């Protein structure tokens, strides 16, 4: 152990040595020597209080951010060594326990700028008369390594956390051996307990039968080529539930030979579910687009077909009328009867064609109303006149009650069609000699209510909900005797709705039906 005398003898050599050393070299003197008999914690406390730097070199000064040695001389241990850090306490305790001769122990300190520094220290204490009087030591800076170590530790921690969070399991297999390591996460993924033994055969038996061949050949191929593989496959838990996994694996070579395989597995059930949902959604969207296209095509067909049918049917009507009216010469009673039948059939045919055309027109995106201020009561009267033949045929009476005039912003032609249809229905579905009442009145300041009431067969409660549907005919006592398409009420409702109004129905079987239309004034 060196003492001050020896040091004096080789002062020059010593000075040259310490100043040129890349290690930090220091000498601490203790201004109040510390009895070695004191407890370690008291000794440590005193070291902080009474040890001061008496000698050092430029390498050490630089480690603490100083440009020269001078300003450091006289600084206390507590100026560098962080007293609150348990690592430093352990370091000094080890120094005492070692009999004041310790090597390669790490300390946590602070430089001049307050930056954290880590040093690896070797130090020797000088004990005189049972008291520690000074200490010599060398140190080198391990801050960078420490930071790298901490970063590594941090990344390992992060990896661990990531593995846990992503529920990624790890496996390792010594090629050829029956030994297989499965991480706890992997066991969880496979629904296995921590104690259950695992083997390659067991893994294979848990792979879904349909994916087994693929799993085997992928691993085999990777062993041959040395390439990393990644594939999705299903596994079957002991409880029978099926799960999707993303597996990766690669071969580790040592001295050019494949020795080990390592890999990961991750549960991707949620990813698969999302994919399936997305696929289903895309399918639905395609289906919807196809349906819309089909619907459009159907509407176009109906519009075109009915338009093409209407012209010849109208011509037939005109020519039969000419014959009936004996414009082309007299007709016999029998002939007249046949012509009348032909005329009626043609009428029905035209009605059907018109219904189809109206529906196609209303469903078209190009359909618009041509609104103008008009008197609805006049429109109702005019509609009534159009159905006069039907009323007369069944000897039905029509009574129009309420307002004499009601001016609204409406499409006259369309509104007339609405009432023609309602009157035709009221007539068709009522027995002869009954009365149809139309009542027009205001409801508050902003609404007009029109009721078309008949004394007909009525509509049951359950049928009332479907009569406004397209192509819906409801059978009743009279429906066999009259023609219809099941389209009238469909477009009636559409026209009313396009006028920002509503149509509802009240009815009692055998007593009659009332259609109530509300329109904004
Ligand atoms: P269509 O009269 O051509 O069958 P609608 O759409 O006009 O078609 O009417 C649908 C159904 O509603 C009819 O089949 C009929 O059963 C019923 N219905 C309509 N109006 C009345 C009414 N005033 N009285 C009884 N039933 C009616």
């Amino acid at each position: 152990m060196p003492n001050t005398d020896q040091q004096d003898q080789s002062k020059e050599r010593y000075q040259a040595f310490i100043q040129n050393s890349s290690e930090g070299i220091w000498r601490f003197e203790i201004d109040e020597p510390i009895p070695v008999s004191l407890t370690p914690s008291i000794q440590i406390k005193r070291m902080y209080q009474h040890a001061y730097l008496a000698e050092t070199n430029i390498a050490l000064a630089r480690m603490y951010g100083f440009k020269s040695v001078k300003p450091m001389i006289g600084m206390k241990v507590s100026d560098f060594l962080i007293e609150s850090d348990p690592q430093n306490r352990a370091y000094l305790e080890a120094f005492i326990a070692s009999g004041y001769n310790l090597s390669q122990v790490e300390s946590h300190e602070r430089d001049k700028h307050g930056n954290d520094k880590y040093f690896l220290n070797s130090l020797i204490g000088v004990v005189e008369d049972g008291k520690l009087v000074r200490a010599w030591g060398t140190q080198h800076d391990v801050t960078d390594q420490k930071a790298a170590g901490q970063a590594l530790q941090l990344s390992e921690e992060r990896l661990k956390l990531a593995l846990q969070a992503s529920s990624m399991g790890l496996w390792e297999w010594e090629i050829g051996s029956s030994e297989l390591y499965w991480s706890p996460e992997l066991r969880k993924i496979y629904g296995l307990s921590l104690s259950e033994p695992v083997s390659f055969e067991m893994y294979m038996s848990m792979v879904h039968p349909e994916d087994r061949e693929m799993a085997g050949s992928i691993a085999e191929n990777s062993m041959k080529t040395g390439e990393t593989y990644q594939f999705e496959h299903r596994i079957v838990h002991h409880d029978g539930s099926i799960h999707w996994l993303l597996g990766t694996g690669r071969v580790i070579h040592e001295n050019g030979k494949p020795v080990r395989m390592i890999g990961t597995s991750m549960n991707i059930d949620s990813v698969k579910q999302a994919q399936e949902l997305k696929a289903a959604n895309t399918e639905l969207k395609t289906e919807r687009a196809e349906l819309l296209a089909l619907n459009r095509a159907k509407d176009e067909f109906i519009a075109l077909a009915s338009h093409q049918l209407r012209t010849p049917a109208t011509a037939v009507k005109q020519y039969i009328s000419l014959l009936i009216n004996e414009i082309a010469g007299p007709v016999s009673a029998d002939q007249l009867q046949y012509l009348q039948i032909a005329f009626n059939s043609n009428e029905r045919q035209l009605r059907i064609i018109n219904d189809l055309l109206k529906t196609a027109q209303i469903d078209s995106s190009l359909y618009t109303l041509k609104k103008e201020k008009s008197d609805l009561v006049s429109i109702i009267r005019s509609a009534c006149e159009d159905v006069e033949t039907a009323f007369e045929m069944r000897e039905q009476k029509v009574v129009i009650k309420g307002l004499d005039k009601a001016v609204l912003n409406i499409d006259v032609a369309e509104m007339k069609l609405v009432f023609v249809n309602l009157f035709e229905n009221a007539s068709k579905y009522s027995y002869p000699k009954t009365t149809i009442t139309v009542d027009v009145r205001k409801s508050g300041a902003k609404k007009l209510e029109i009721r078309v009431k008949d004394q007909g067969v009525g509509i049951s409660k359950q049928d009332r909900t479907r009569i406004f549907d397209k192509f819906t005919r409801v059978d009743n006592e009279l429906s066999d005797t009259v023609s219809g398409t099941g389209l009238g009420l469909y477009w009636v409702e559409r026209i009313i709705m396009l006028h920002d109004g509503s149509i509802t129905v009240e009815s009692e079987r055998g007593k009659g039906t009332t259609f109530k239309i509300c329109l904004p004034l």
Side-chain angles (χ1 to χ4, degrees), residues 331-344:
V331 286
S332 68
D334 281 353
Q335 285 169 336
L336 188 66
Q337 194 193 342
Y338 297 153
L339 284 171
Q340 202 61 58
I341 294 171
F343 185 86
N344 289 344

Side-chain angles (χ1 to χ4, degrees), residues 200-442:
F200 186 71
E201 288 70 34
M202 172 173 187
Y203 153 69
M204 268 303 187
S205 73
M206 287 188 77
V207 173
H208 192 282
E210 285 172 22
D211 297 343
R212 220 169 270 162
E213 205 184 309
M214 171 182 65
S217 65
I218 282 179
E220 212 173 285
N221 191 47
S222 164
M223 273 215 287
K224 270 191 218 143
T225 61
E227 277 169 17
T228 302
Y229 68 80
Q230 177 165 330
F231 77 122
E232 288 177 5
H233 65 96
R234 287 159 294 174
I235 56 162
V236 187
H237 277 196
H238 290 332
D239 64 7
S241 58
I242 295 173
H243 303 272
W244 274 99
L245 302 189
L246 174 70
T248 67
R250 71 187 180 94
V251 181
I252 306 281
H253 289 83
E254 271 172 23
N255 304 324
K257 271 183 156 183
V259 287
R260 199 172 308 122
M261 276 193 86
I262 58 168
T264 62
S265 268
M266 190 164 76
N267 183 302
I268 51 162
D269 280 345
S270 48
V271 178
K272 281 280 157 191
Q273 272 162 11
Q275 277 173 357
E276 273 162 26
L277 269 178
K278 207 174 155 196
N281 199 18
T282 320
E283 215 170 285
L284 272 179
K285 272 189 191 155
T286 326
E287 246 169 53
R288 196 181 119 82
E290 281 169 5
L291 279 175
L292 283 175
L294 260 176
N295 205 33
R296 252 197 314 275
K298 184 209 67 193
D299 288 347
E300 278 163 18
F301 169 75
I302 292 175
L304 190 78
S306 40
H307 190 75
Q308 299 289 331
L309 286 170
R310 190 156 70 159
T311 320
T314 315
V316 170
K317 180 177 172 164
Q318 283 162 1
Y319 285 104
I320 296 176
S321 294
L322 288 177
L323 289 175
I324 290 174
N325 293 319
E326 298 188 319
I327 305 288
V331 286
S332 68
D334 281 353
Q335 285 169 336
L336 188 66
Q337 194 193 342
Y338 297 153
L339 284 171
Q340 202 61 58
I341 294 171
F343 185 86
N344 289 344
S345 292
N346 174 257
E347 273 276 271
R348 279 208 300 280
Q349 188 184 14
L350 270 172
R351 279 269 320 279
I352 296 169
I353 293 169
N354 284 339
D355 263 2
L356 286 172
L357 256 181
K358 187 84 235 153
T359 307
Q361 188 192 0
I362 269 186
D363 283 346
S364 153
S365 53
L366 302 174
Y367 178 76
T368 46
L369 294 177
K370 291 173 202 76
K371 285 189 191 173
E372 55 187 307
K373 290 237 179 310
S374 311
D375 174 23
L376 186 71
V377 182
S378 314
I379 294 171
I380 293 172
R381 283 188 208 284
S382 166
C384 197
E385 279 164 21
D386 279 15
V387 191
E388 212 170 49
T389 326
F391 289 142
E392 277 171 7
M393 198 175 78
R394 299 186 182 97
E395 296 175 57
Q396 290 159 334
K397 202 167 92 185
V398 184
V399 179
I400 301 178
K401 294 201 309 191
L403 295 175
D404 285 333
K405 201 171 178 185
V407 178
L408 301 174
N409 196 24
I410 43 178
D411 184 317
V412 178
E414 299 295 77
M415 208 42 101
K416 187 171 165 187
L417 280 180
V418 165
F419 286 98
V420 167
N421 194 276
L422 291 181
F423 292 152
E424 278 179 349
N425 280 350
S427 171
K428 278 196 303 190
Y429 302 116
S430 298
Y431 291 104
K433 297 191 174 134
T434 50
T435 303
I436 288 122
T437 316
V438 188
D439 194 357
V440 184
R441 58 182 68 237
K442 273 188 178 181

Side-chain angles (χ1 to χ4, degrees), residues 351 355 421-430 452 454 456-459 463 466-469 471-476 479 482-492 505 507 509 512-515:
R351 279 269 320 279
D355 263 2
N421 194 276
L422 291 181
F423 292 152
E424 278 179 349
N425 280 350
S427 171
K428 278 196 303 190
Y429 302 116
S430 298
V452 178
D454 62 48
V457 290
I459 310 166
D463 290 337
R466 23 183 228 115
I467 53 171
F468 295 101
D469 294 345
F471 292 111
T472 302
R473 291 210 77 199
V474 174
D475 282 339
N476 57 40
S479 52
V482 292
S483 67
T485 56
L487 286 170
L489 286 180
Y490 167 73
W491 54 254
V492 160
V505 61
S507 187
R509 292 285 282 139
T513 302
T514 304
F515 284 94

